[in-house]
Amino acid sequence: MNVHRVLRPALKILTATVVTAVTTLGVVSSTGTTTAGHAPRVTTKIDHVAVRVSPAYASGTYEQRVQHWVNVQRKRHDRRPLTLATCTDRVAERWSSYLASSDSFYHQSMQKLLTKCDAYYAGETLGRGSISPRRLVYMWMHSAPHRHVLLSRSPNRIGIGATPNARGEWVTCANFMHL
């Protein structure tokens, strides 16, 4: 898998994978990084441990704030706001939880996302660190591949998962889809 890793102060972000499906031909084409590798089957088992995340947020609040700041950036660039979709959100939350509990950091298969959520477009951004939602989105906007996904005209839905890992860092997954 061709993945570029970018290190930022107090945040690790992984370049975004964008996949578009051409339904009339049943062909899936990818832009950005390749998704030929298969992600492991995720069975989420969360150990509830007390961790320190700075600043302190509940996961749901953190996720809502990330969505808010994504939509602020989309509005500034004349893009329509993204609303939550159940499937998209569920997939992002499961992937975030898996990455946090396994101490891993890589993209899931976009092809599986397209199929699972019956979508025409899927993009994903990841972030990990002790950082506020606003700063996370700021960092994504200053990374060309992430900015491309955040400002794409293709998605109409978003799903966000944010889970603290054992070191007290937020592991955040934002899935962008067109359903």
Side-chain angles (χ1 to χ4, degrees):
M1 183 156 64
N2 179 16
V3 176
H4 305 282
R5 293 171 197 255
V6 180
L7 292 175
R8 302 280 188 206
L11 176 69
K12 184 174 184 180
I13 55 179
L14 194 60
T15 55
T17 301
V18 180
V19 176
T20 339
V22 182
T23 54
T24 54
L25 302 175
V27 174
V28 176
S29 62
S30 66
T31 309
T33 61
T34 61
T35 58
H38 298 286
R41 182 174 270 279
V42 177
T43 53
T44 307
K45 182 177 180 179
I46 303 171
D47 293 330
H48 296 288
V49 293
V51 294
R52 290 183 345 184
V53 176
S54 177
Y57 290 99
S59 290
T61 302
Y62 193 92
E63 293 165 3
Q64 289 170 355
R65 300 306 300 157
V66 170
Q67 180 184 2
H68 168 78
W69 289 111
V70 165
N71 282 329
V72 165
Q73 290 299 325
R74 289 182 62 82
K75 184 176 181 177
R76 285 182 183 158
H77 293 87
D78 298 320
R79 303 296 191 271
R80 69 179 176 262
L82 301 176
T83 57
L84 283 177
T86 303
C87 181
T88 308
D89 196 49
R90 186 173 50 243
V91 168
E93 288 177 359
R94 284 184 185 151
W95 191 246
S96 164
S97 177
Y98 170 77
L99 293 176
S101 65
S102 67
D103 198 29
S104 301
F105 196 68
Y106 60 95
H107 287 289
Q108 59 191 313
S109 167
M110 294 294 101
Q111 294 169 345
K112 287 182 182 178
L113 283 177
L114 290 170
T115 303
K116 181 175 263 186
C117 293
D118 196 26
Y120 300 99
Y121 169 94
E124 179 174 83
T125 58
L126 300 175
R128 178 173 66 189
S130 296
I131 192 167
S132 71
R134 183 178 187 175
R135 184 74 176 159
L136 173 66
V137 173
Y138 173 86
M139 301 291 275
W140 281 341
M141 287 298 292
H142 287 83
S143 164
H146 293 89
R147 181 183 175 92
H148 174 77
V149 173
L150 263 67
L151 298 181
S152 173
R153 294 184 189 274
S154 297
N156 60 0
R157 298 287 189 267
I158 192 169
I160 300 166
T163 308
N165 66 16
R167 290 182 302 282
E169 302 167 317
W170 284 109
V171 179
T172 307
C173 174
N175 288 131
F176 300 78
M177 291 191 196
H178 183 94
L179 305 177

